[in-house]
Amino acid sequence: MCGIAGVVSFDTDLRHRAPALDAMTQTMACRGPDARGVYLRGHAGLGHRRLAVIDLPGGAQPMSEHTGAGEVALVYSGEAYNFQELRTRLVRLGHTFRTDSDTEVVLRGYLEWGESVVDHLDGMYAFAIWDERDQKLLLVRDRMGVKPLYYYPTRDGVLFGSEPKAILAHPDVPKAVDTDGLRELFAQTKAPRWALWKGMREMLPGTLITVDRSGLRERTYWRLRALEHTDSQEETVERVRDMLTGVVDRQLISDVPQCVLLSGGLDSSAITGLAAQSLARRGEQVRTFSVDFTGQEENFVPDVMRDTPDSPFVRDVVAHVGSAHHDVMLDAADIADPAVRRAAVGARDIPIGFGDLDNSLYLLFKAVREHSTVALSGESADEVFAGYPWFHSEAALNSGTFPWMTVIPPLGLAARTDHVEPGLRKALDVGTYTADQYATALAEVEHLDGESAQERRMRTTSHLHLTRFVRTLLDRKDRLSMAVGLEVRVPFCNHELVEYVYNTPWSMKTYDGREKSLLRGAAAPVLPRSVVERVKSPYPSPQQASYAATLQQQLKELVAEPDAPVFALADRDWAQQAVAQDPARMTIAVRAGVERVLDLHTWLELHNPQLLLD
């Protein structure tokens, strides 16, 4: 896992602008703490920061190959899990390898197949190839969008980077945010290509971009397709089990310490059980990490999001698989620490995230990184296997908007906008914008002829989750983990598994009358009964009133500043009312609003952006 950055300028000799590329590359140091490299030619510059995971001595980048017609250079972030099979194929085709890295497999795959190399890759990746033979840049992003990639078109080329901060480090890029950027920021619909910063775009998953003297062109090489499902229920469960077993096997390839993130829920427990099984065949023990909060289990109170604490189920899984387990214990003061918020907001480059969930996840990753460089996660299973409660709620499914926005308190329209400065709130009109984005998302869904109304509705709901909601969570996971140099792999994002389950009829996805029936059936043999029967519970959140009280105090200090810049975006009156509330009675939605104001304040301090408010 690494960080990449680069620039192509067909009207400039970039060899005279090396400091700009160096500055861009340096911003990716957290993603790649182990090594740094740059490739600089007349019209192209590639920068790389490396987190060494496979072939530690041999995988240095940028990696290049001289051909008879010109040089081809690559910077690459991620993992190609099938690199060993591809290497064998390429050797048979006459290629000779200098290293044992997956990076060289991708490079030689391009030399053999050109842009079609993307059709051969199984993994999570974002990479850039400068082909001197055609004076052409190729940008590629993986099918599900596990690894990020951003770009900024210029008059004579393009800038790109794993994160916006790499592009913003270039002296020719203004740190400007306009109302279009802010509209999506507060709407949180994960609009395609949105990147907050004016002129910058996020590369779509499953696409490749070509940049040459004639301009920039985008091509989609993979998207969710509607396909006929012909397997029986029993065959489907068995197929899912086989696919998951193979995926976890491949994702346990590493030359550095690795572990599994365990919450005690079905998703992470399934990955843990399969990983334990796979590692046992090698004579190894699986290592697991979980997060909890001081006093949470003893004082747990069920709420609208969570019925049970995680800890008892974590212990059941640890006992069942025999893992070497580590509990990461946090308290409210840890999560509310302004330095932690600054780190989380800085990692994400955007000022609206998931508040305490971001902060605690950052601290979990930081603790895990002290013991492991690679971690497997159960992320995305709810989107793939229809695990969220709103998949099974008629009210949510018939709401006429993204269903999660009707169930998750912080994502309701009022919760997303009540804290916004009134004039700005009116100008942004987030409600109309959200409706437009919902209509756009619906239009992208492909259906089979003859599908029932129920199947059409559930296919649509799954598509919304796999093209909108999951991308938000994957971005969050990547940014917060790579901020501490931890590579997190997501087996449930294997594109073949996603496509297979996506096309499974709804009746099979719920054959036992519950959520995630297919995953429960497939993983049951490696899980304790308590976890198999457990109801879906999201990532934990601190319940202590002291956490809300600390947030209120921080917001109170902001309100007391007459010229606080944050109130160009946030509603000071709303903030004053939030500060006056009893912290023990503060709703989830209001607490989320307080966190968003604090995030906005932190973001303004970090970036000092130019706000273009019409």
Side-chain angles (χ1 to χ4, degrees):
M1 196 68 70
C2 309
I4 65 174
V7 55
V8 167
S9 176
F10 292 106
D11 295 341
T12 304
D13 186 343
L14 292 174
R15 290 171 293 186
H16 301 302
R17 302 203 66 185
L21 179 60
D22 288 340
M24 295 174 69
T25 304
Q26 183 57 32
T27 65
M28 297 292 94
C30 59
R31 298 183 70 92
D34 297 328
R36 170 193 175 277
V38 295
Y39 170 97
L40 192 58
R41 300 295 185 268
H43 299 303
L46 308 178
H48 186 267
R49 294 290 312 211
R50 186 186 185 203
L51 176 65
V53 172
I54 293 174
D55 188 13
L56 307 191
Q61 298 185 50
M63 187 175 287
S64 62
E65 181 71 13
H66 292 273
T67 73
E71 191 175 16
V72 177
L74 164 74
V75 283
Y76 169 81
S77 170
E79 306 292 344
Y81 301 124
N82 63 336
F83 79 98
Q84 293 171 329
E85 301 98 291
L86 290 180
R87 179 190 177 99
T88 299
R89 288 179 62 187
L90 289 165
V91 168
R92 289 173 181 164
L93 290 168
H95 289 265
T96 302
F97 284 79
R98 303 187 302 266
T99 74
D100 295 322
S101 68
D102 60 335
T103 302
E104 188 176 4
V105 170
V106 175
L107 177 59
R108 296 196 177 278
Y110 173 78
L111 293 172
E112 179 65 32
W113 298 303
E115 293 179 2
S116 296
V117 65
V118 296
D119 299 323
H120 298 267
L121 296 176
D122 166 24
M124 56 177 190
Y125 47 81
F127 60 87
I129 295 176
W130 172 249
D131 193 333
E132 198 174 61
R133 300 171 300 183
D134 301 317
Q135 293 287 291
K136 176 182 73 174
L137 177 75
L138 177 68
L139 299 175
V140 175
R141 193 174 181 202
D142 68 67
R143 296 170 180 85
M144 289 296 292
V146 181
K147 301 316 297 176
L149 191 57
Y150 293 81
Y151 64 103
Y152 186 96
T154 63
R155 176 184 55 82
D156 66 333
V158 72
L159 305 169
F160 67 88
S162 293
E163 300 181 12
K165 59 176 63 71
I167 296 170
L168 294 172
H170 193 282
D172 295 343
V173 177
K175 286 187 175 182
V177 177
D178 61 12
T179 51
D180 287 338
L182 291 173
R183 189 170 289 114
E184 170 59 31
L185 176 71
F186 293 114
Q188 294 183 276
T189 71
K190 196 57 176 175
R193 299 182 184 83
W194 175 81
L196 178 62
W197 304 93
K198 184 175 176 60
M200 192 183 302
R201 303 170 191 170
E202 180 184 22
M203 191 167 171
L204 288 177
T207 64
L208 55 82
I209 289 176
T210 303
V211 183
D212 58 22
R213 290 183 181 275
S214 64
L216 183 151
R217 296 175 299 282
E218 178 184 277
R219 176 172 75 83
T220 299
Y221 70 89
W222 184 87
R223 60 164 55 93
L224 280 172
R225 301 174 298 157
L227 302 170
E228 198 73 40
H229 186 84
T230 59
D231 292 342
S232 68
Q233 177 184 304
E234 293 75 15
E235 290 169 336
T236 300
V237 171
E238 187 64 31
R239 178 79 185 278
V240 169
R241 182 182 298 123
D242 290 344
M243 294 178 82
L244 271 175
T245 300
V247 169
V248 171
D249 280 345
R250 289 193 296 276
Q251 296 197 17
L252 287 170
I253 296 174
S254 172
D255 293 334
V256 293
Q258 56 190 335
C259 66
V260 180
L261 303 175
L262 174 62
S263 71
L266 178 62
D267 313 339
S268 66
S269 299
I271 299 302
T272 300
L274 292 170
Q277 191 177 74
S278 177
L279 291 171
R281 291 194 293 267
R282 309 181 200 174
E284 300 177 31
Q285 181 185 28
V286 67
R287 301 161 69 238
T288 52
F289 288 81
S290 65
V291 65
D292 203 355
F293 306 102
T294 305
Q296 184 97 325
E297 182 178 1
E298 298 83 356
N299 303 300
F300 182 81
V301 177
D303 60 28
V304 67
M305 299 294 291
R306 300 164 185 85
D307 290 332
T308 55
D310 287 341
S311 296
F313 300 94
V314 168
R315 289 193 293 270
D316 287 350
V317 175
V318 169
H320 189 77
V321 305
S323 69
H325 184 70
H326 303 262
D327 285 311
V328 177
M329 298 300 296
L330 305 175
D331 60 34
D334 296 327
I335 304 167
D337 186 344
V340 174
R341 183 176 304 278
R342 187 178 183 88
V345 172
R348 297 197 66 183
D349 287 320
I350 58 173
I352 300 246
F354 291 88
D356 66 89
L357 303 182
D358 285 356
N359 296 356
S360 64
L361 192 62
Y362 170 81
L363 291 172
L364 169 63
F365 289 153
K366 187 176 180 181
V368 171
R369 185 61 176 89
E370 296 177 3
H371 306 273
S372 288
T373 308
V374 172
L376 271 64
S377 166
E379 189 83 85
S380 308
D382 286 309
E383 291 79 13
V384 175
F385 290 96
Y388 293 116
W390 48 86
F391 272 98
H392 312 274
S393 164
E394 286 295 319
L397 294 174
N398 295 322
S399 63
T401 190
F402 298 101
W404 52 88
M405 291 184 175
T406 68
V407 178
I408 303 177
L411 293 184
L413 179 60
R416 286 180 285 145
T417 58
D418 279 355
H419 61 285
V420 179
E421 192 278 325
L424 179 60
R425 185 193 313 150
K426 182 178 180 180
L428 295 180
D429 191 7
V430 169
T432 299
Y433 172 82
T434 301
D436 290 344
Q437 283 298 317
Y438 181 64
T440 298
L442 292 183
E444 295 173 352
V445 186
E446 174 186 312
H447 292 281
L448 292 175
D449 293 338
E451 272 187 336
S452 68
Q454 170 76 338
E455 285 298 332
R456 288 180 65 87
R457 181 173 72 164
M458 300 318 298
R459 181 185 294 279
T460 296
T461 304
S462 292
H463 196 279
L464 293 173
H465 283 78
L466 292 168
T467 58
R468 294 288 184 128
F469 196 57
V470 79
R471 292 178 184 175
T472 297
L473 300 181
L474 289 172
D475 181 75
R476 164 180 176 256
K477 178 272 308 170
D478 176 86
R479 301 297 194 84
L480 296 175
S481 61
M482 292 308 294
V484 297
L486 177 70
E487 173 177 303
V488 177
R489 300 175 178 179
V490 278
F492 289 116
C493 279
N494 172 268
H495 70 280
E496 293 177 335
L497 174 68
V498 169
E499 194 168 73
Y500 182 77
V501 177
Y502 174 68
N503 284 293
T504 300
W506 183 247
S507 59
M508 288 190 189
K509 291 179 181 177
T510 56
Y511 70 82
D512 63 357
R514 297 186 56 186
E515 79 286 352
K516 291 188 284 197
S517 304
L518 291 177
L519 178 56
R520 184 175 293 103
V526 298
L527 295 177
R529 177 52 50 183
S530 61
V531 171
V532 173
E533 298 300 332
R534 189 185 185 191
V535 175
K536 162 70 184 171
S537 184
Y539 184 84
S541 180
Q543 294 188 325
Q544 303 101 311
S546 62
Y547 179 68
T550 302
L551 296 182
Q552 283 181 306
Q553 180 58 37
Q554 293 172 1
L555 184 59
K556 183 178 181 180
E557 293 170 6
L558 268 184
V559 171
E561 296 180 26
D563 299 318
V566 71
F567 293 112
L569 301 175
D571 183 354
R572 186 185 290 271
D573 291 339
W574 181 94
Q576 288 175 327
Q577 294 172 16
V579 165
Q581 288 191 17
D582 178 353
R585 297 177 179 272
M586 184 178 288
T587 66
I588 295 174
V590 171
R591 194 176 89 174
V594 172
E595 300 234 44
R596 286 169 178 158
V597 176
L598 295 174
D599 283 350
L600 284 166
H601 164 70
T602 303
W603 174 73
L604 290 169
E605 282 193 333
L606 284 169
H607 289 286
N608 190 28
Q610 179 186 6
L611 298 177
L612 307 176
L613 306 180
D614 298 334

